[in-house]
Amino acid sequence: MPGLKPFTERLGDLSLFSGQFAWQVFKRPFEGRELIRQMDEIGTKSLVLVLVTGCAIGVVLSMQSRGTLARFGAEAVLPSMLALAVVKEIGPVITSLVLAGRLGAGIAAELGSMRVTEQIDALEVAALNPFRHLVVTRVLACIVMFPLLTVACNLVALGGGYLEALLSSELDYRLFVDQAFASLRLSDLIFSTAKTGVFGFIVAITGCNFGFKVRGGTREVGQAAMQAVVVSSLLVLVANVVLVRISLMLFG
Amino acid sequence: MTNPDPQDVVVINNLHKAFGRRRILRGINLRVRCGESVAIMGGSGTGKSVLLKHIVGLIEPDLGAIQVLGQRIDELSSLDLDAVRLRIGYLFQGGALFDSMTVADNMDFVLRRHTDLRKAERTDRIMEALDWVSLQATANQYPAQLSGGQKKRVALARAIILEPEILLCDEPTTGLDPVSVRTVSNLLVRLQRRNMSVITITHDLLCAEIAADRAVFLHEGKVLAQGTLSDMRTHPHPMLKEFFH
């Protein structure tokens, strides 16, 4: 089948690249300074995007659901429905997809440009391990920051949902919070947030892989950025299916 | 491999390299002695940069042997290769300065990792290197804020920050105005006076004239001629005649 071979080759390469990450992540010296810089870059520069996304999700979900729930006389379950939908699925997945767009492309383009302008070669020539400095730090930063950004997105989404509900039906915030959190189990909260660490790994390792392997010029850098977004988004969606299945097996 | 002279810092024997079906190097032989400055010249696509990258182990040869500072670079483990790399400075064609760091951080990054110097000592070393290329004022600027000539000089300062024994320069004067060409070429001469061996890829006759003791001319992946620039100018081969006139 045309296109299948390059795709499987790419996946194989991505697997080897992930294996290299697993090998390098425990090696010294640790790039602590660069790791903190990357966490700051990812956190601060993505926060506004994530917050706006979260707010929009909460408001729209609340607007769309209330009418349907009202038809069945179930308007009172809106907070529970919002909390379950946002915290268990929509928050983690949408945050990860939005970040896949921003960070997947950004990482691939940055590393691709570094490859084209010989900055990666310069690291190697200076006896500095480019993989550890560029890849390990970015992947670890994404593994840490994705869950934190997801928590921020969830909170803002619930806040947005509450505001919309308040404007429409003057819902008391204590009632909203009580109902919202009563429906959530701790395992739901922990698992759905922790799985975004896996999504962070997928987005970062894909972006790094596509950027690191760029050969040629600016055209190839652009292609790498675009492909990184497509592949990492697809992998996040597939991983989500697998992780949801695992969570259902573990926690019911 | 022929017996290396202890004075040889780089010995390349019968080096072959192909990328796919394209044969780039077809049996290169080259010797560079300690403290010597050699210009590698030739038309575009003759494998000059590929040759330089072999010397520092960025590319592995298909066939042949590369000995640098007494060690077979193509047979070293990555740890041993890093130890040799610390004795080599590399000036990349575009400078290859790290965009996300200031000029001073570009150099501090290397010093911090490979020396036990304290912060104040590292700063002194950085300012000394920048002073040497007359660019102390740029210490806190980012590479994007520098001109092409400034980038090359900063990259040169970074390449020699660990005081290497060999300096490899990939087209250090390409794209520069004649004044900057003289400045960079004179810096290379000053490095050679410190007993550093300098291998420079250049198309620039002015740079070769100022900085090189000897020139090696590559053509179709082979050494076509080597000798002084005067030898090259009087060489009967049409390719050399065209290049030098």
Side-chain angles (χ1 to χ4, degrees):
Chain A
M1 196 187 294
L4 190 63
K5 192 173 170 233
F7 182 70
T8 50
E9 270 176 8
R10 197 78 225 196
L11 278 186
D13 189 48
L14 194 55
S15 307
L16 290 174
F17 202 73
S18 303
Q20 203 181 342
F21 168 79
W23 172 249
Q24 294 280 355
V25 73
F26 298 110
K27 281 191 161 182
R28 283 173 178 275
F30 296 118
E31 303 272 359
R33 186 189 285 242
E34 179 64 9
L35 175 62
I36 289 166
R37 197 181 74 82
Q38 287 301 330
M39 284 166 67
D40 180 45
E41 280 273 311
I42 290 165
T44 52
K45 292 195 178 157
S46 308
L47 189 62
V48 174
L49 178 67
V50 166
L51 293 182
V52 171
T53 307
C55 188
I57 290 171
V59 170
V60 169
L61 206 58
S62 180
M63 281 195 293
Q64 293 275 28
S65 309
R66 195 165 0 81
T68 313
L69 290 173
R71 273 197 285 157
F72 296 101
E75 216 173 344
V77 299
L78 181 70
S80 309
M81 194 226 72
L82 266 180
L84 282 171
V86 166
V87 172
K88 285 184 80 170
E89 263 327 298
I90 296 176
V93 173
I94 297 290
T95 304
S96 301
L97 289 177
V98 164
L99 291 175
R102 198 190 100 65
L103 297 173
I107 290 172
E110 188 184 7
L111 297 197
S113 304
M114 287 185 77
R115 172 65 78 192
V116 168
T117 56
E118 296 182 308
Q119 291 176 52
I120 294 179
D121 286 343
L123 282 169
E124 213 165 313
V125 165
L128 299 163
N129 186 326
F131 193 94
R132 213 174 305 152
H133 182 75
L134 300 173
V135 178
V136 171
T137 52
R138 279 165 176 75
V139 175
L140 286 179
C142 282
I143 290 173
V144 174
M145 295 311 292
F146 268 52
L148 295 177
L149 289 166
T150 301
V151 169
C153 176
N154 290 347
L155 289 174
V156 172
L158 290 177
Y162 168 69
L163 276 179
E164 197 283 327
L166 179 71
L167 291 171
S168 313
S169 58
E170 294 184 359
L171 183 66
D172 181 61
Y173 85 92
R174 274 169 300 197
L175 185 66
F176 182 90
V177 170
D178 284 349
Q179 282 195 359
F181 285 95
S183 61
L184 286 170
R185 293 176 301 175
L186 187 63
S187 58
D188 293 333
L189 275 173
I190 293 173
F191 191 86
S192 59
T193 309
K195 76 178 176 185
T196 59
V198 177
F199 300 158
F201 171 81
I202 289 169
V203 169
I205 204 82
T206 309
C208 288
N209 178 254
F210 279 80
F212 226 67
K213 300 286 161 90
V214 164
R215 293 285 180 276
T218 46
R219 184 171 163 269
E220 284 74 15
V221 173
Q223 280 178 343
M226 186 264 290
Q227 287 169 350
V229 174
V230 173
V231 173
S232 60
S233 301
L234 285 174
L235 290 177
V236 162
L237 293 172
V238 172
N240 188 45
V241 173
V242 174
L243 289 170
V244 166
R245 187 67 236 163
I246 291 171
S247 82
L248 289 173
M249 276 160 48
L250 291 176
F251 309 111
Chain B
M1 189 159 200
T2 53
N3 286 335
D5 186 317
Q7 283 294 306
D8 289 335
V9 289
V10 175
V11 182
I12 296 173
N13 273 343
N14 193 32
L15 178 61
H16 288 259
K17 183 70 188 176
F19 294 111
R21 296 168 72 181
R22 209 169 139 231
R23 292 173 66 197
I24 305 294
L25 303 179
R26 305 168 184 225
I28 296 277
N29 294 300
L30 178 71
R31 275 171 187 264
V32 178
R33 295 174 73 81
C34 180
E36 190 180 22
S37 179
V38 176
I40 297 180
M41 306 181 88
S44 298
T46 49
K48 302 184 295 296
S49 295
V50 172
L51 173 62
L52 213 62
K53 286 182 177 174
H54 274 92
I55 296 173
V56 79
L58 279 175
I59 299 178
E60 288 180 15
D62 293 339
L63 187 69
I66 304 155
Q67 187 168 303
V68 179
L69 296 164
Q71 303 207 56
R72 275 286 296 269
I73 206 111
D74 48 316
E75 290 179 346
L76 293 177
S77 67
S78 65
L79 210 63
D80 294 333
L81 180 59
D82 279 349
V84 176
R85 280 173 172 167
L86 292 178
R87 299 165 68 190
I88 304 172
Y90 200 118
L91 172 59
F92 287 88
Q93 195 173 347
L97 295 171
F98 306 125
D99 295 330
S100 58
M101 299 180 194
T102 63
V103 164
D105 285 342
N106 259 277
M107 286 183 265
D108 192 38
F109 182 50
V110 180
L111 283 175
R112 212 171 50 231
R113 189 52 60 81
H114 296 305
T115 68
D116 296 324
L117 297 175
R118 283 174 300 170
K119 174 88 180 123
E121 294 169 318
R122 295 200 309 268
T123 306
D124 286 347
R125 174 91 74 97
I126 290 163
M127 295 320 279
E128 195 184 315
L130 286 175
D131 183 43
W132 185 76
V133 293
S134 309
L135 285 173
Q136 266 199 340
T138 63
N140 294 318
Q141 290 184 7
Y142 283 88
Q145 297 170 285
L146 305 177
S147 70
Q150 285 177 325
K151 275 184 195 165
K152 286 269 168 72
R153 279 147 66 197
V154 168
L156 183 57
R158 186 184 66 178
I160 58 157
I161 195 79
L162 291 174
E163 297 175 350
E165 293 159 58
I166 303 172
L167 178 67
L168 307 177
C169 303
D170 193 351
E171 303 199 17
T173 57
T174 300
L176 301 186
D177 62 87
V179 177
S180 301
V181 170
R182 278 187 189 280
T183 308
V184 172
S185 306
N186 284 322
L187 288 172
L188 296 179
V189 173
R190 283 167 63 192
L191 286 173
Q192 195 199 354
R193 286 193 194 131
R194 291 191 197 176
N195 209 29
M196 200 178 282
S197 310
V198 182
I199 303 175
T200 309
I201 290 177
T202 186
H203 289 116
D204 196 325
L205 291 179
L206 179 61
C207 172
E209 219 159 66
I210 295 171
D213 303 323
R214 181 162 67 90
V216 174
F217 194 89
L218 298 192
H219 181 56
E220 292 178 347
K222 291 179 182 169
V223 174
L224 181 64
Q226 52 183 312
T228 62
L229 275 182
S230 317
D231 296 338
M232 296 288 170
R233 286 200 175 94
T234 53
H235 200 283
H237 196 282
M239 186 68 207
L240 281 150
K241 276 187 175 170
E242 197 180 345
F243 194 90
F244 286 95
H245 291 99

PDB file of all heavy atoms in Angstrom, chain A residues 111-130:
ATOM      1  N   LEU A 111      14.198  22.334  16.645  1.00  0.00           N
ATOM      2  CA  LEU A 111      15.298  21.373  16.483  1.00  0.00           C
ATOM      3  C   LEU A 111      15.684  21.221  15.010  1.00  0.00           C
ATOM      4  O   LEU A 111      16.861  21.058  14.683  1.00  0.00           O
ATOM      5  CB  LEU A 111      14.939  20.008  17.078  1.00  0.00           C
ATOM      6  CG  LEU A 111      14.686  19.954  18.592  1.00  0.00           C
ATOM      7  CD1 LEU A 111      14.748  18.520  19.096  1.00  0.00           C
ATOM      8  CD2 LEU A 111      15.673  20.790  19.383  1.00  0.00           C
ATOM      9  N   GLY A 112      14.672  21.304  14.131  1.00  0.00           N
ATOM     10  CA  GLY A 112      14.966  21.226  12.694  1.00  0.00           C
ATOM     11  C   GLY A 112      15.857  22.389  12.256  1.00  0.00           C
ATOM     12  O   GLY A 112      16.828  22.205  11.523  1.00  0.00           O
ATOM     13  N   SER A 113      15.532  23.587  12.751  1.00  0.00           N
ATOM     14  CA  SER A 113      16.361  24.751  12.413  1.00  0.00           C
ATOM     15  C   SER A 113      17.758  24.590  12.988  1.00  0.00           C
ATOM     16  O   SER A 113      18.752  24.961  12.355  1.00  0.00           O
ATOM     17  CB  SER A 113      15.746  26.028  12.983  1.00  0.00           C
ATOM     18  OG  SER A 113      14.450  26.173  12.538  1.00  0.00           O
ATOM     19  N   MET A 114      17.824  24.055  14.191  1.00  0.00           N
ATOM     20  CA  MET A 114      19.149  23.839  14.806  1.00  0.00           C
ATOM     21  C   MET A 114      19.967  22.839  13.991  1.00  0.00           C
ATOM     22  O   MET A 114      21.180  22.957  13.875  1.00  0.00           O
ATOM     23  CB  MET A 114      19.001  23.338  16.248  1.00  0.00           C
ATOM     24  CG  MET A 114      18.532  24.402  17.218  1.00  0.00           C
ATOM     25  SD  MET A 114      18.499  23.819  18.913  1.00  0.00           S
ATOM     26  CE  MET A 114      20.228  23.847  19.353  1.00  0.00           C
ATOM     27  N   ARG A 115      19.275  21.842  13.430  1.00  0.00           N
ATOM     28  CA  ARG A 115      19.973  20.849  12.597  1.00  0.00           C
ATOM     29  C   ARG A 115      20.482  21.512  11.311  1.00  0.00           C
ATOM     30  O   ARG A 115      21.634  21.359  10.933  1.00  0.00           O
ATOM     31  CB  ARG A 115      19.010  19.692  12.286  1.00  0.00           C
ATOM     32  CG  ARG A 115      19.503  18.675  11.296  1.00  0.00           C
ATOM     33  CD  ARG A 115      20.716  17.904  11.789  1.00  0.00           C
ATOM     34  NE  ARG A 115      20.369  16.860  12.746  1.00  0.00           N
ATOM     35  CZ  ARG A 115      21.274  16.215  13.485  1.00  0.00           C
ATOM     36  NH1 ARG A 115      22.557  16.498  13.361  1.00  0.00           N
ATOM     37  NH2 ARG A 115      20.913  15.288  14.340  1.00  0.00           N
ATOM     38  N   VAL A 116      19.582  22.293  10.683  1.00  0.00           N
ATOM     39  CA  VAL A 116      19.932  22.920   9.404  1.00  0.00           C
ATOM     40  C   VAL A 116      21.066  23.936   9.583  1.00  0.00           C
ATOM     41  O   VAL A 116      21.936  24.067   8.730  1.00  0.00           O
ATOM     42  CB  VAL A 116      18.670  23.594   8.796  1.00  0.00           C
ATOM     43  CG1 VAL A 116      19.023  24.486   7.638  1.00  0.00           C
ATOM     44  CG2 VAL A 116      17.682  22.528   8.355  1.00  0.00           C
ATOM     45  N   THR A 117      21.058  24.662  10.695  1.00  0.00           N
ATOM     46  CA  THR A 117      22.097  25.680  10.916  1.00  0.00           C
ATOM     47  C   THR A 117      23.310  25.103  11.672  1.00  0.00           C
ATOM     48  O   THR A 117      24.128  25.860  12.184  1.00  0.00           O
ATOM     49  CB  THR A 117      21.536  26.876  11.710  1.00  0.00           C
ATOM     50  OG1 THR A 117      20.976  26.389  12.935  1.00  0.00           O
ATOM     51  CG2 THR A 117      20.467  27.612  10.927  1.00  0.00           C
ATOM     52  N   GLU A 118      23.390  23.813  11.744  1.00  0.00           N
ATOM     53  CA  GLU A 118      24.542  23.079  12.315  1.00  0.00           C
ATOM     54  C   GLU A 118      24.737  23.303  13.820  1.00  0.00           C
ATOM     55  O   GLU A 118      25.807  23.026  14.353  1.00  0.00           O
ATOM     56  CB  GLU A 118      25.832  23.453  11.566  1.00  0.00           C
ATOM     57  CG  GLU A 118      25.802  23.039  10.090  1.00  0.00           C
ATOM     58  CD  GLU A 118      27.100  23.353   9.360  1.00  0.00           C
ATOM     59  OE1 GLU A 118      27.549  24.504   9.440  1.00  0.00           O
ATOM     60  OE2 GLU A 118      27.654  22.447   8.728  1.00  0.00           O
ATOM     61  N   GLN A 119      23.693  23.805  14.503  1.00  0.00           N
ATOM     62  CA  GLN A 119      23.838  23.996  15.952  1.00  0.00           C
ATOM     63  C   GLN A 119      23.909  22.651  16.681  1.00  0.00           C
ATOM     64  O   GLN A 119      24.576  22.541  17.712  1.00  0.00           O
ATOM     65  CB  GLN A 119      22.678  24.828  16.494  1.00  0.00           C
ATOM     66  CG  GLN A 119      22.710  26.275  16.042  1.00  0.00           C
ATOM     67  CD  GLN A 119      21.500  27.057  16.509  1.00  0.00           C
ATOM     68  OE1 GLN A 119      21.171  27.068  17.688  1.00  0.00           O
ATOM     69  NE2 GLN A 119      20.816  27.706  15.597  1.00  0.00           N
ATOM     70  N   ILE A 120      23.235  21.644  16.138  1.00  0.00           N
ATOM     71  CA  ILE A 120      23.299  20.319  16.767  1.00  0.00           C
ATOM     72  C   ILE A 120      24.692  19.727  16.574  1.00  0.00           C
ATOM     73  O   ILE A 120      25.278  19.149  17.499  1.00  0.00           O
ATOM     74  CB  ILE A 120      22.182  19.396  16.228  1.00  0.00           C
ATOM     75  CG1 ILE A 120      20.816  19.956  16.677  1.00  0.00           C
ATOM     76  CG2 ILE A 120      22.359  17.960  16.717  1.00  0.00           C
ATOM     77  CD1 ILE A 120      19.612  19.179  16.206  1.00  0.00           C
ATOM     78  N   ASP A 121      25.253  19.917  15.366  1.00  0.00           N
ATOM     79  CA  ASP A 121      26.634  19.484  15.128  1.00  0.00           C
ATOM     80  C   ASP A 121      27.592  20.222  16.065  1.00  0.00           C
ATOM     81  O   ASP A 121      28.562  19.645  16.564  1.00  0.00           O
ATOM     82  CB  ASP A 121      27.045  19.760  13.678  1.00  0.00           C
ATOM     83  CG  ASP A 121      26.394  18.793  12.697  1.00  0.00           C
ATOM     84  OD1 ASP A 121      25.903  17.742  13.148  1.00  0.00           O
ATOM     85  OD2 ASP A 121      26.375  19.080  11.499  1.00  0.00           O
ATOM     86  N   ALA A 122      27.309  21.517  16.296  1.00  0.00           N
ATOM     87  CA  ALA A 122      28.184  22.307  17.172  1.00  0.00           C
ATOM     88  C   ALA A 122      28.183  21.749  18.594  1.00  0.00           C
ATOM     89  O   ALA A 122      29.221  21.722  19.264  1.00  0.00           O
ATOM     90  CB  ALA A 122      27.745  23.767  17.174  1.00  0.00           C
ATOM     91  N   LEU A 123      27.026  21.283  19.053  1.00  0.00           N
ATOM     92  CA  LEU A 123      26.958  20.665  20.384  1.00  0.00           C
ATOM     93  C   LEU A 123      27.811  19.402  20.414  1.00  0.00           C
ATOM     94  O   LEU A 123      28.566  19.159  21.363  1.00  0.00           O
ATOM     95  CB  LEU A 123      25.510  20.297  20.725  1.00  0.00           C
ATOM     96  CG  LEU A 123      24.588  21.421  21.174  1.00  0.00           C
ATOM     97  CD1 LEU A 123      23.153  20.933  21.218  1.00  0.00           C
ATOM     98  CD2 LEU A 123      24.999  21.925  22.555  1.00  0.00           C
ATOM     99  N   GLU A 124      27.675  18.608  19.357  1.00  0.00           N
ATOM    100  CA  GLU A 124      28.396  17.336  19.293  1.00  0.00           C
ATOM    101  C   GLU A 124      29.914  17.569  19.253  1.00  0.00           C
ATOM    102  O   GLU A 124      30.665  16.906  19.957  1.00  0.00           O
ATOM    103  CB  GLU A 124      27.944  16.587  18.038  1.00  0.00           C
ATOM    104  CG  GLU A 124      27.948  15.088  18.229  1.00  0.00           C
ATOM    105  CD  GLU A 124      27.170  14.388  17.139  1.00  0.00           C
ATOM    106  OE1 GLU A 124      26.046  14.815  16.833  1.00  0.00           O
ATOM    107  OE2 GLU A 124      27.702  13.444  16.594  1.00  0.00           O
ATOM    108  N   VAL A 125      30.316  18.545  18.444  1.00  0.00           N
ATOM    109  CA  VAL A 125      31.742  18.858  18.317  1.00  0.00           C
ATOM    110  C   VAL A 125      32.311  19.383  19.638  1.00  0.00           C
ATOM    111  O   VAL A 125      33.478  19.162  19.945  1.00  0.00           O
ATOM    112  CB  VAL A 125      31.926  19.890  17.171  1.00  0.00           C
ATOM    113  CG1 VAL A 125      33.286  20.530  17.223  1.00  0.00           C
ATOM    114  CG2 VAL A 125      31.721  19.227  15.830  1.00  0.00           C
ATOM    115  N   ALA A 126      31.463  20.056  20.410  1.00  0.00           N
ATOM    116  CA  ALA A 126      31.919  20.562  21.710  1.00  0.00           C
ATOM    117  C   ALA A 126      31.827  19.480  22.789  1.00  0.00           C
ATOM    118  O   ALA A 126      31.896  19.788  23.986  1.00  0.00           O
ATOM    119  CB  ALA A 126      31.086  21.775  22.110  1.00  0.00           C
ATOM    120  N   ALA A 127      31.699  18.229  22.375  1.00  0.00           N
ATOM    121  CA  ALA A 127      31.627  17.084  23.295  1.00  0.00           C
ATOM    122  C   ALA A 127      30.458  17.220  24.275  1.00  0.00           C
ATOM    123  O   ALA A 127      30.553  16.835  25.437  1.00  0.00           O
ATOM    124  CB  ALA A 127      32.942  16.900  24.040  1.00  0.00           C
ATOM    125  N   LEU A 128      29.359  17.825  23.788  1.00  0.00           N
ATOM    126  CA  LEU A 128      28.140  17.914  24.600  1.00  0.00           C
ATOM    127  C   LEU A 128      27.101  17.026  23.914  1.00  0.00           C
ATOM    128  O   LEU A 128      26.969  17.076  22.698  1.00  0.00           O
ATOM    129  CB  LEU A 128      27.636  19.362  24.638  1.00  0.00           C
ATOM    130  CG  LEU A 128      28.624  20.364  25.246  1.00  0.00           C
ATOM    131  CD1 LEU A 128      28.255  21.783  24.868  1.00  0.00           C
ATOM    132  CD2 LEU A 128      28.653  20.229  26.750  1.00  0.00           C
ATOM    133  N   ASN A 129      26.415  16.226  24.691  1.00  0.00           N
ATOM    134  CA  ASN A 129      25.473  15.268  24.114  1.00  0.00           C
ATOM    135  C   ASN A 129      24.197  15.986  23.668  1.00  0.00           C
ATOM    136  O   ASN A 129      23.398  16.398  24.514  1.00  0.00           O
ATOM    137  CB  ASN A 129      25.161  14.204  25.175  1.00  0.00           C
ATOM    138  CG  ASN A 129      24.308  13.081  24.636  1.00  0.00           C
ATOM    139  OD1 ASN A 129      23.454  13.309  23.786  1.00  0.00           O
ATOM    140  ND2 ASN A 129      24.528  11.890  25.120  1.00  0.00           N
ATOM    141  N   PRO A 130      23.986  16.162  22.359  1.00  0.00           N
ATOM    142  CA  PRO A 130      22.805  16.920  21.915  1.00  0.00           C
ATOM    143  C   PRO A 130      21.497  16.251  22.290  1.00  0.00           C
ATOM    144  O   PRO A 130      20.521  16.920  22.583  1.00  0.00           O
ATOM    145  CB  PRO A 130      22.959  17.005  20.396  1.00  0.00           C
ATOM    146  CG  PRO A 130      24.125  16.210  20.017  1.00  0.00           C
ATOM    147  CD  PRO A 130      24.798  15.693  21.236  1.00  0.00           C
TER     148      PRO A 130
END
